[in-house]
Each structure stands twice: as structure tokens, then as C-alpha cells.
Amino acid sequence: MTWFKEEARFISRPQIEAMCDRLLDEAKERLGIAEYRRVLLLPPDLTRAHSGTGWMTEYLYHRLDAAGTEVHVIPTLGQHVPHTRADNEWMFGSIPEERIHAHDWKNGVTNVGTVPAELVREKTGGAVDWEMPVDLNTMLVTEQWDLIVNVGHVVPHEVLGFANHNKNYFIGLGGKRLLGASHMASAVYGIENNLGNLLTPVRACFNYAEEHFLGHLPDVYLQVVMDYDDDGNLAHTGVYVGDDVETYYDAARASREQNFTLFDEPADKIVAVMQADEFRATWVANKAVYRTRMAIADGGELLVIAPGVERFGEQPEVDELIRTYGYLSQAEVIDLYRTQADMQDIPHGTAHLVHGSSEGRFTITYAPGQLSKEEIESVGYQYMDVEEALRRYDPAVMRDGWNTMPDGERVFYISTPSAGLWSTRDKLENRDTELHDA
């Protein structure tokens, strides 16, 4: 159940720090913890740095460390590139580097069970029928912890409907087999059937895995929801603390109310900016594609301005896969997947080829910092010079929402695509979403 929550417009940093204190105090009583000897903190990685979860993790670390607790931190990277020391300092401040551990999705995992194929088939409505081996970070599942705190930002998500909660475990600390099985299942089920739904098929499978394989863990979720303030800056509007799925539902419902932007008619052009210090590959910068695709008109255009993008994949083999096949439609990928060994070897990368495609419905134009015109066009996108894009659509001048340019062009501008979901009412309401209100 939800232990406690705060919803307001807006919630200050001192208020959130007080709730972190309350979390540590209540966890002892609710989970029967005599003392905190060893505690594990599981924050997101730097692609969610704007959420403030880095300073929350730092606050929890020092609160515990001052009391003599041995505290460790594992950023829930999934298969993203591990943080550098500079990344860790930028996101987590003064937490000692030796207490921050990089998740190894290939060699640093241990199997704790399997989500059976029959359940996956049931939850996906027969779309897929493979099992999900639950391989998780070895440090998480083999070492003894008095408390595990999952820290995260609940926002719409392309695989799980909404990010955070047990995504921290099964994606953020998952192994290659689990990442592949879950991402490919979501791609086959359909990205637009997942986005912004409270309970997607993969989320349902993860809930099963948490109940059956992680029920013994002394864990608690600290989740935040954010919205734009009057100055156009993201600010906290909700904090949710608890130890079960109801805590997720509370936060996800709030995100659904605050983080959806609905259009009566689709937009002909959307311009989205992906911050250079958070997004360095199209793998993560394509949140701009995921979160806006349901708002763009047939024949329209999405321009992604991504000054920090220097590669396609977060890992070399995924980068190579994207360069080999490009971004393709769901039907094309599923057809190729049956015969191509490289696709079958890294299905989470194969799923990304679908997620980053417009299905031929609209144009995706990229303005990257360090990828060439030839590279961008080779994967099926159009190219725009990043300096030209920043001059024309200057983030210092543009405002979130509709903007009319000096030459009369009308565009919808989004400064932080990773913080929401944009869709026409029609697309959001007419989907295959049996599990939506479960």
C-alpha cells in the first residue's frame, strides 16, 4: 500500500527532504528493521537527471551515512552506458565514487526465476509466447540488505506505460535475456498500445515477477511526479512512498492527469529538444519520437534537436544493429527477426528499431551534435544541421506549446519530451488497451 504521499502545486526541496526522513523512519517500523547496517539506493541514470532524483539519492546517502550505515548506490542503467566519474558527480553530488556501482547487464546478473510463456501469452493477448528469464543484478539479489530504496520519476513510458516502480529492477537492473524478451514483447504488442497505460502486458509480467521472486526484499519506492510551473520549468507536484503496486498506481494516475497534452487535431510539425548533458545516443534521444508520435499528423514532421547525440546505440552491438538495418516498421522488423541471427541475439535492440520508426506515417528529422548527414540518412531519418536548427528554433526564445516563426511557420515546441506524452484525443482513446484500467 501507499505509506504516505504529498500532492500539491508545488512541493519544495525541503519538503521532499523531510519526506525522505519520514521514509527512513517509517521503514523501520513497517518492515521490521532493527537498524540500518547496509542500505542499497537504486536511482535512475542521468537520462532522468532533470527529475531531481540525483539530489534525493545524495540526501538519503548522507542521512544514512551520518548514522554509521554502509550505503551503496546502483544507478538503474539497464543497458545504457555506465556513468563516468564526472557523470556521477554531476548527478549524485558528493556521494563517494567507490559507493556507486555500474550495472553490468551481460556478466553481472543472477537468475531468480522465470515468467512463464503461458503468462506472457495471456498478458499480450496472444501476441507473443516466449518466457521471460528474470536475470537481475547480482549485487542486488545475493548480498544482504536491511533496506532497498527505489528512487524514481513516474512519467509515460513506451514499454511499461509509465516509468519507474519495478522497472528499476527488471529493466534498470535486468540482464540481457530479460531486456530482450520484455522489449521485444512490447514492440510486437505495439508501442502506441503501451504509452500512458497504467497496466501494459510487460508491466503485468513484471508485477508477477516482483510478487513471486522479490517478495522477500526489504524494499520501498520513493516516486515523484512533475509538471511545468508558470515559468515553464519542471517542478515536483507529487511524492509517493510505499512498498507495493498501489504506490505505482497512485503516482501513475497523477502523471496521467498532469503529463498528457491532448490535441483535438494532429500537429503538422513538432520541434523537440533533447538536452546535451542527458541524451548522447538516439537510443535515449528517441524519447522525442516515442512521446510525440501520437500527436503528429500523417505527412507531418518531427524535428529532434539533439546537440549531445554522438551515436545511435548505447552499446556497440546495438549501435551496429541500428546502422545495419535502420529504423523500420513493426511489420518489417518482425519479418526480419524470424531469420536474422543478429536481431535474434539482441532483441531489445531489434525492438528499438520499431520504437524509433514513424511507420512511414510522418518524417523524422534529426539535428545531432556529432553524427553526420550520411549517418542520419542511412538509418531512415532526415538531417538538419544542429547549429542551423538551434538558430531557427532557439531554446532561449521558443516557448513550450505553439510558436509562430518570423516566416509564418507554425510549430509545436517541446523543451523536455521525456517528461510527458503528447497525443490526439482520438489516438489515445481508440487503442487496443484491455489492461488499461486493471
Side-chain angles (χ1 to χ4, degrees), residues 352-371:
H352 174 72
L353 304 182
V354 179
H355 288 163
S357 166
S358 72
E359 298 283 335
R361 194 172 61 75
F362 57 90
T363 298
I364 299 172
T365 301
Y366 246 90
Q370 299 181 55
L371 288 174

Side-chain angles (χ1 to χ4, degrees), residues 246-276:
E246 289 305 319
T247 313
Y248 158 74
Y249 284 133
D250 273 355
R253 291 186 185 103
S255 176
R256 184 171 61 181
E257 291 298 316
Q258 298 173 40
N259 301 148
F260 285 16
T261 300
L262 299 182
F263 296 72
D264 290 324
E265 298 293 333
D268 288 324
K269 184 165 183 175
I270 290 178
V271 176
V273 175
M274 305 307 291
Q275 289 67 33

Side-chain angles (χ1 to χ4, degrees), residues 4-20:
F4 60 89
K5 64 183 178 181
E6 178 71 26
E7 295 177 321
R9 197 156 186 91
F10 291 92
I11 303 172
S12 69
R13 178 166 177 165
Q15 288 175 296
I16 295 175
E17 290 175 348
M19 282 182 271
C20 290

Side-chain angles (χ1 to χ4, degrees), residues 79-105:
Q79 58 86 55
H80 292 180
V81 172
H83 291 181
T84 64
R85 177 183 288 270
D87 292 335
N88 282 331
E89 289 178 353
W90 176 65
M91 184 159 181
F92 301 120
S94 57
I95 297 178
E97 179 71 12
E98 63 270 17
R99 291 298 179 91
I100 304 175
H101 309 276
H103 172 61
D104 181 350
W105 62 293

Side-chain angles (χ1 to χ4, degrees), residues 169-276:
Y169 289 135
F170 302 113
I171 298 296
L173 298 182
K176 179 180 178 180
R177 296 191 301 171
L178 180 55
L179 292 170
S182 57
H183 278 75
M184 198 62 192
S186 77
V188 174
Y189 185 73
I191 183 173
E192 294 186 9
N193 292 328
N194 292 316
L195 282 159
N197 280 335
L198 295 180
L199 185 61
T200 66
V202 174
R203 172 73 72 179
C205 292
F206 286 176
N207 290 347
Y208 170 94
E210 182 176 20
E211 178 183 354
H212 284 79
F213 310 129
L214 301 183
H216 63 288
L217 293 181
D219 59 358
V220 61
Y221 294 98
L222 168 62
Q223 302 175 129
V224 298
V225 171
M226 305 182 79
D227 196 3
Y228 292 98
D229 63 18
D230 293 339
D231 296 323
N233 300 312
L234 281 171
H236 297 101
T237 57
V239 179
Y240 305 83
V241 175
D243 63 350
D244 69 2
V245 73
E246 289 305 319
T247 313
Y248 158 74
Y249 284 133
D250 273 355
R253 291 186 185 103
S255 176
R256 184 171 61 181
E257 291 298 316
Q258 298 173 40
N259 301 148
F260 285 16
T261 300
L262 299 182
F263 296 72
D264 290 324
E265 298 293 333
D268 288 324
K269 184 165 183 175
I270 290 178
V271 176
V273 175
M274 305 307 291
Q275 289 67 33

